[in-house]
Amino acid sequence: MKMTKPIRMCIACRQRASKDILLRFQLKDNQIVFYTGEGRSMYLCLDCVKNPKKIQSLPKRLAVDEALFAKFLKESMNNG
Ligand SMILES: [Zn+2]
């Protein structure tokens, strides 16, 4: 039987990809955090995570602190 994997969209480049390979996060009190299991979440593809140019406008769009955003991305890369 063919399994269909959930497809989600990267908020930076709008490419669709399987949920498995996207970084899932959410906004909490104007901070960007890993998805906690509740609330609204968003996705970033790994290409964008590794490419600062693609995501440079995101902190503004999401109204999060730029330094925190950069820190979050660094952490997410360290995690694998
Ligand atoms: Zn992307």
Side-chain angles (χ1 to χ4, degrees), residues 9-16 22 43-49 54-55:
M9 191 178 76
C10 168
I11 59 160
C13 65
R14 298 187 179 273
Q15 293 240 41
R16 284 164 203 277
L22 293 166
Y43 296 86
L44 271 178
C45 72
L46 295 181
D47 280 352
C48 287
V49 170
K54 281 186 168 183
I55 50 178

Side-chain angles (χ1 to χ4, degrees), residues 18-61:
S18 164
K19 202 177 153 215
D20 306 352
I21 58 163
L22 293 166
L23 172 69
R24 191 177 197 182
F25 65 93
Q26 69 182 139
L27 300 177
K28 215 172 183 183
D29 305 321
N30 289 340
Q31 291 193 34
I32 183 166
V33 295
F34 289 105
Y35 184 56
T36 57
E38 55 182 53
R40 195 171 159 230
S41 63
M42 288 170 253
Y43 296 86
L44 271 178
C45 72
L46 295 181
D47 280 352
C48 287
V49 170
K50 289 178 193 160
N51 190 340
K53 276 189 182 165
K54 281 186 168 183
I55 50 178
Q56 62 186 355
S57 67
L58 276 183
K60 233 176 214 175
R61 255 175 69 196

